[in-house]
C-alpha cells in the first residue's frame, strides 16, 4: 500500500511518563521502538500496567508523548492532534459505550465515520447511496442490524455496538487499526463473534492492526505476530511459524524468564 | 382573552431563547450561563442601533451576530483555556454586563420615539400589535426551527450533535470537538441575542437587567416542552415542543399578572408549572417508556457513572 517500503507504523524510541516530577511518577512507555509492516496484524499482551493501552493511545494521539517519534506510513504524526491523526487510524475501545454515539441512529454513526479525515461541510449528513452501502455492510456482520438502521445505537447490546464500532473504524480503509481490548467487556460467546468479525474485516481490507488483549489464547490464535510488554518495553516479539507454534504455557514461561517476575494478571491466567 | 394572546406573543419571542438554551444545554451538553448576558446584549445592540435610525431587520441581524461573538468567547474560554463550562459561561455573562452598559450608554434605552419592527409593521399592515406579534413570532419561530432542522441534519450539524453525546468517539472519528463546541455555542447565543432583539422592540425599551433569570425561563421552557412532547421522535417537532413550552410559560406569567397576583409570585408559579409538567409526563407514561426529560436524567447518571469508572 505504501509507495516506498515504509513500515505502516513506526514507533521510534517513544517515552511517556505520567505524573512526571511527582512521587507517583509512572513511566508507561520506556524508549519503546516498534515497526509494523503493511498487513501486519500484531497482538499485544502483558500484565496490568505494562503499557499496552498507553502504547495504543500514544499511536492514536490521545496525549502527547515525551520523547521519540511516531510515523504512520512514513508520515511523521508525532505532533499531530488526535482528531487530525484520526484520518489514518481506526479505533475500537474496551468500553462498548466509547466507540459510538448512543443517542444517534446506527446509520448516522456510520455516516460520521465515513467522513473521517474529511472536512465536515453543510452537505446533508447521509446520502441514499450510503444507506444502501451501509445496509450491505451491516448484513455482512450477520447481527440483524441491517433492518434496524434508524434505531438508536444506545438500544444495541455491547457486542452489537463493538461490531458496529469495528465497521465504523474500517469504513474508510485506515492505514492502522487499533483494537484496545475490544472484547474484554463481552461475554465469551459474543467476544468470539466480535473477534471473528475483526479477523474478517482486517483480512478483507488488508489492514495493518494492533490488538491488545488479556486473553493469551486469542493473542496466539489471531494475527501474524505477537508482542509481549512489560514496564513500558517490548520484552518478547515473535512472528510467523514460531508464533503459530506458541502455547499459553510457553508464553507464561517466557514472561517469567524475560521479566524475572510472575505473570501478574489473574485475568490472563484465568482465561487460559 | 387579550392577556392570554399577549402571553402567547411574548412566549414566541422567549421561545428563541429557549431554542438557544436547548442547543447548548441539550445538544452540546454544555450548561452555558452566558445566556443571561447574551439576551441583554441582543437587546442593547438592537436598541442602540434603532435609536440611530437603523433598519430594524438589519439591527436584529447585527444583534444575532453579536450574540454569536459572545458564544464564541465562551467557547474559546472553555476549549482553549480549559475553563470548565459553567465558569466559562459565568465569566462571559459577567463581562457582558459591563459591555452592555457601554453599548447602551445607560441602564435604560426607551424606544418609544423611534420606529421599531413592530411600529413599522403595524402601521404598514394596519393590524394591531398583538395580532402582528402573534403572526411575526410564529413565522420567526418556524423559520428558526426549519433552519435548525436543516443545520443539524448536515455533516457539520451531525458532528456537533455527536460532540454533545460522545467526545472521545468524535475525536477518534476526526471531529475537531473544539470547533464543533464553539460553533454550537455561537449559534446558541446568537439565537438568545435574537430573542433579546425582538423583546426590546416588543416592549419598547431595553434594560440592563432584562436578562436576569432568563436561563431559568429557558430551562423551564425546555422541561415543559419535553414533558408534553415526550413521545416525539422527529427533531423538528421536538423543537416545536420547546416553543410550546416557552409559550405555556408566558401564559402562566400572564395569568399570574391578570389575576392581580403579586409579580413576586411569578417564580413560584413557574416552579409549580414545571413540577406539574413533570408529573403529567410521568403519570401519562406510567406503563410506557420514560419521558425524554427523565431519560435524559438517567442518561446523565449513566454518563456520570462511566466517568467515575474511568477515573
Amino acid at each position: 500500500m505504501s509507495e516506498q517500503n515504509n513500515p505502516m507504523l513506526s514507533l521510534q524510541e517513544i517515552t511517556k511518563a505520567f505524573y512526571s516530577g511527582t512521587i507517583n511518577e509512572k513511566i508507561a512507555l520506556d524508549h519503546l521502538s516498534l515497526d509494523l509492516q503493511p498487513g501486519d496484524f500484531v497482538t499485544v499482551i502483558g500484565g496490568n500496567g505494562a503499557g499496552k493501552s498507553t502504547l495504543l493511545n500514544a499511536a492514536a494521539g490521545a496525549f502527547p508523548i515525551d520523547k521519540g517519534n511516531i510515523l504512520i506510513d512514513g508520515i511523521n504524526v508525532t505532533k499531530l492532534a488526535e482528531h487530525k491523526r484520526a484520518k489514518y487510524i481506526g479505533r475500537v475501545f474496551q468500553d462498548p459505550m466509547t466507540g459510538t454515539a448512543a443517542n444517534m441512529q446506527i446509520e448516522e454513526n456510520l455516516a460520521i465515520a465515513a467522513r473521517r479525515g474529511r472536512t465536515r461541510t453543510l452537505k446533508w449528513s447521509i446520502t441514499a447511496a450510503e444507506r444502501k452501502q451501509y445496509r450491505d455492510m451491516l448484513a455482512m456482520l450477520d447481527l440483524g442490524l441491517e433492518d434496524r438502521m434508524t434505531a438508536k445505537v444506545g438500544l444495541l447490546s455491547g457486542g452489537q455496538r463493538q461490531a458496529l464500532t469495528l465497521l465504523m473504524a474500517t469504513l474508510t480503509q485506515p492505514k492502522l487499526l487499533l483494537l484496545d481490548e475490544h472484547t474484554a467487556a463481552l461475554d465469551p460467546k459474543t467476544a468470539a463473534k466480535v473477534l471473528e468479525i475483526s479477523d474478517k474485516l482486517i483480512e478483507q481490507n488488508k489492514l495493518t492492526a494492533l490488538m491488545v488483549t488479556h486473553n493469551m489464547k486469542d493473542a496466539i490464535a489471531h494475527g501474524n505476530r505477537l508482542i509481549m510488554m512489560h514496564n513500558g518495553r517490548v520484552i518478547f516479539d515473535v512472528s510467523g511459524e514460531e508464533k503459530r507454534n506458541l502455547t499459553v504455557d510457553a508464553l507464561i514461561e517466557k514472561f517469567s524468564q524475560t521479566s524475572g517476575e510472575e505473570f501478574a494478571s489473574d485475568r490472563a491466567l484465568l482465561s487460559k | 382573552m387579550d392577556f392570554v394572546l399577549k402571553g402567547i406573543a411574548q412566549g414566541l419571542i422567549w421561545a428563541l431563547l429557549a431554542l438557544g438554551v436547548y442547543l447548548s444545554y441539550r445538544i452540546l451538553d454544555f450548561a452555558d450561563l452566558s445566556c443571561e448576558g447574551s439576551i441583554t446584549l441582543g437587546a442593547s445592540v438592537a436598541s442602540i442601533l434603532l435609536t440611530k435610525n437603523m433598519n430594524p431587520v438589519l439591527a436584529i441581524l447585527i444583534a444575532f451576530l453579536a450574540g454569536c461573538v459572545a458564544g464564541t468567547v465562551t467557547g474559546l474560554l472553555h476549549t482553549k483555556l480549559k475553563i470548565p463550562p459553567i465558569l466559562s459561561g459565568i465569566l462571559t455573562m459577567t463581562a457582558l454586563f459591563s459591555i452592555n452598559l457601554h453599548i447602551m450608554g445607560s441602564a435604560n434605552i426607551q424606544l418609544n420615539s423611534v420606529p421599531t419592527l413592530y411600529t413599522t409593521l403595524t402601521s404598514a399592515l394596519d393590524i394591531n400589535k398583538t395580532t402582528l406579534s402573534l403572526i411575526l413570532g410564529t413565522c420567526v419561530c418556524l423559520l428558526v426551527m426549519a433552519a435548525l432542522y436543516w443545520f443539524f441534519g448536515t455533516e457539520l450539524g451531525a458532528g456537533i450533535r455527536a460532540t454533545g453525546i460522545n467526545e472521545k468517539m468524535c475525536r477518534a472519528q476526526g471531529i475537531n470537538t473544539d470547533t464543533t463546541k464553539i460553533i454550537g455555542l455561537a449559534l446558541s447565543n446568537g439565537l438568545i441575542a435574537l430573542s433579546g432583539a425582538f423583546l426590546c422592540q416588543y416592549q419598547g425599551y431595553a434594560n440592563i437587567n432584562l436578562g436576569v433569570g432568563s436561563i431559568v425561563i429557558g430551562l423551564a421552557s425546555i422541561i415543559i416542552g419535553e414533558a408534553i412532547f415526550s413521545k416525539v421522535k422527529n427533531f423538528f417537532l421536538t423543537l416545536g415542543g420547546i416553543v410550546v413550552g416557552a409559550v405555556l410559560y408566558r401564559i402562566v406569567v400572564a395569568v399570574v399578572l391578570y389575576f392581580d397576583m403579586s409579580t413576586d409570585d411569578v417564580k413560584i408559579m413557574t416552579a409549580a408549572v414545571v413540577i406539574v409538567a413533570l408529573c403529567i409526563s410521568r403519570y401519562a407514561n406510567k406503563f410506557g417508556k420514560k419521558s425524554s426529560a427523565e431519560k435524559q436524567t438517567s442518561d446523565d447518571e449513566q454518563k456520570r457513572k462511566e466517568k467515575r469508572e474511568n477515573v
Side-chain angles (χ1 to χ4, degrees):
Chain A
M1 218 183 302
S2 59
E3 279 122 46
Q4 307 94 21
N5 278 334
N6 286 325
M8 196 49 94
L9 172 70
S10 180
L11 304 175
Q12 301 168 348
E13 296 272 315
I14 62 170
T15 296
K16 175 71 190 177
F18 292 109
Y19 312 111
S20 306
T22 73
I23 195 161
N24 294 321
E25 182 175 87
K26 160 90 187 144
I27 297 179
L29 296 174
D30 188 5
H31 296 89
L32 181 145
S33 292
L34 179 70
D35 278 356
L36 263 62
Q37 299 309 319
D40 265 356
F41 177 6
V42 180
T43 56
V44 186
I45 56 169
N48 293 328
K52 308 181 298 292
S53 288
T54 311
L55 174 75
L56 261 59
N57 285 331
F63 42 71
I65 53 169
D66 303 336
K67 272 185 228 151
N69 279 305
I70 302 171
L71 276 69
I72 295 178
D73 200 9
I75 306 158
N76 191 334
V77 299
T78 317
K79 298 257 186 306
L80 215 55
E82 188 178 9
H83 69 269
K84 287 195 181 143
R85 223 183 281 190
K87 187 174 171 181
Y88 311 115
I89 303 172
R91 287 159 83 188
V92 185
F93 306 91
Q94 176 173 1
D95 181 352
M97 304 292 171
T98 311
T100 47
N103 278 346
M104 294 175 85
Q105 299 167 352
I106 294 178
E107 59 177 34
E108 286 181 314
N109 272 276
L110 284 164
I112 283 177
R115 284 154 183 77
R116 186 172 61 230
R118 284 205 272 131
T119 310
R120 287 166 211 260
T121 65
L122 292 178
K123 283 204 222 69
W124 203 244
S125 61
I126 183 168
T127 65
E130 278 179 77
R131 281 207 178 88
K132 195 179 168 307
Q133 182 202 352
Y134 297 159
R135 176 176 288 274
D136 295 343
M137 290 175 137
L138 287 167
M140 241 173 46
L141 298 181
D142 196 22
L143 294 168
L145 295 180
E146 64 275 18
D147 299 320
R148 301 173 63 190
M149 299 221 330
T150 56
K152 296 272 169 75
V153 170
L155 300 170
L156 306 185
S157 70
Q160 287 173 327
R161 283 179 84 156
Q162 287 304 65
L164 177 64
T165 312
L166 265 168
L167 203 54
M168 288 166 63
T170 54
L171 204 54
T172 54
Q173 186 81 17
K175 289 183 187 292
L176 179 66
L177 177 66
L178 301 175
L179 308 171
D180 190 359
E181 291 196 52
H182 67 309
T183 59
L186 308 174
D187 65 79
K189 201 171 151 232
T190 317
K193 173 86 189 163
V194 169
L195 272 174
E196 185 194 314
I197 294 169
S198 315
D199 276 344
K200 204 156 106 186
L201 287 170
I202 291 170
E203 162 111 28
Q204 268 174 8
N205 299 305
K206 300 187 175 55
L207 298 174
T208 310
L210 261 177
M211 177 172 93
V212 172
T213 176
H214 259 107
N215 187 315
M216 297 221 186
K217 258 198 296 195
D218 289 342
I220 295 168
H222 300 268
N224 64 330
R225 185 174 163 197
L226 179 149
I227 61 172
M228 185 187 274
M229 288 185 67
H230 183 64
N231 285 343
R233 293 166 171 274
V234 175
I235 56 166
F236 183 47
D237 186 342
V238 60
S239 55
E241 186 75 11
E242 200 186 340
K243 174 183 177 284
R244 276 194 290 281
N245 296 332
L246 272 177
T247 62
V248 174
D249 288 325
L251 263 184
I252 294 172
E253 175 72 11
K254 189 85 202 166
F255 182 84
S256 25
Q257 264 178 26
T258 335
S259 70
E261 288 174 30
E262 289 293 308
F263 200 95
S265 168
D266 290 345
R267 263 212 284 166
L269 290 176
L270 288 171
S271 59
K272 189 178 147 184
Chain B
M1 260 334 264
D2 193 46
F3 74 96
V4 176
L5 290 179
K6 276 186 181 148
I8 296 174
Q10 280 209 42
L12 289 168
I13 295 174
W14 283 97
L16 298 173
L17 167 122
L19 288 171
V21 175
Y22 181 79
L23 292 197
S24 56
Y25 184 64
R26 279 286 189 251
I27 295 186
L28 269 183
D29 195 18
F30 188 110
D32 178 21
L33 296 181
S34 0
C35 169
E36 307 222 337
S38 306
I39 185 169
T40 318
L41 177 68
S44 56
V45 168
S47 54
I48 198 74
L49 291 175
L50 285 169
T51 57
K52 305 254 186 288
N53 284 317
M54 185 184 267
N55 178 310
V57 176
L58 198 56
I60 288 170
L61 286 178
I62 294 175
F64 170 78
L65 292 178
C68 291
V69 173
T72 306
V73 171
T74 306
L76 288 171
L77 287 177
H78 172 61
T79 57
K80 303 302 172 201
L81 302 181
K82 313 286 175 211
I83 299 172
I86 295 202
L87 195 53
S88 304
I90 290 175
L91 288 170
T92 307
M93 178 185 77
T94 309
L96 277 174
F97 190 86
S98 301
I99 292 171
N100 289 332
L101 276 175
H102 279 295
I103 292 174
M104 295 204 284
S106 67
N108 233 312
I109 293 183
Q110 290 297 324
L111 296 174
N112 297 333
S113 53
V114 293
T116 67
L117 191 61
Y118 291 89
T119 55
T120 317
L121 286 180
T122 40
S123 56
L125 301 173
D126 196 24
I127 46 177
N128 71 41
K129 189 181 159 196
T130 309
T131 317
L132 172 77
S133 327
L134 287 173
I135 297 170
L136 189 64
T138 310
C139 291
V140 171
C141 281
L142 284 175
L143 203 68
V144 169
M145 280 162 60
L148 290 178
Y149 182 80
W150 164 77
F151 180 70
F152 285 104
T154 64
E155 295 174 354
L156 181 62
I160 295 176
R161 279 190 291 146
T163 304
I165 301 170
N166 187 342
E167 271 189 63
K168 201 168 172 186
M169 170 258 196
C170 285
R171 283 195 293 272
Q173 297 300 347
I175 295 173
N176 185 344
T177 50
D178 286 1
T179 311
T180 48
K181 278 184 192 173
I182 292 171
I183 295 174
L185 288 170
L187 209 53
S188 158
N189 284 285
L191 284 178
I192 293 166
L194 194 64
S195 171
F198 276 102
L199 194 64
C200 68
Q201 299 187 61
Y202 177 84
Q203 59 190 21
Y205 65 89
N207 184 290
I208 189 69
N209 291 321
L210 179 131
V212 174
S214 60
I215 185 77
V216 179
I217 299 177
L219 292 178
S221 307
I222 291 171
I223 288 168
I224 296 170
E226 284 182 343
I228 296 169
F229 282 52
S230 64
K231 293 217 169 108
V232 163
K233 283 199 175 137
N234 179 296
F235 183 60
F236 189 76
L237 293 179
T238 305
L239 296 175
I242 312 292
V243 173
V244 172
V247 168
L248 284 177
Y249 174 84
R250 287 314 303 190
I251 291 177
V252 172
V253 174
V255 169
V256 171
L257 298 177
Y258 180 75
F259 288 108
D260 272 344
M261 283 189 245
S262 156
T263 45
D264 296 350
D265 292 333
V266 169
K267 298 289 176 202
I268 198 170
M269 289 300 286
T270 310
V273 170
V274 173
I275 292 168
V276 169
L278 283 172
C279 288
I280 290 173
S281 80
R282 166 150 239 157
Y283 284 101
N285 297 316
K286 202 171 178 184
F287 303 105
K289 285 178 183 169
K290 284 182 185 174
S291 76
S292 60
E294 280 176 277
K295 226 185 290 165
Q296 187 72 36
T297 335
S298 58
D299 279 357
D300 289 348
E301 268 160 28
Q302 177 75 27
K303 247 185 236 164
R304 273 200 290 281
K305 218 163 85 191
E306 278 166 30
K307 262 181 204 156
R308 272 204 301 278
E309 278 162 8
N310 284 342
V311 169

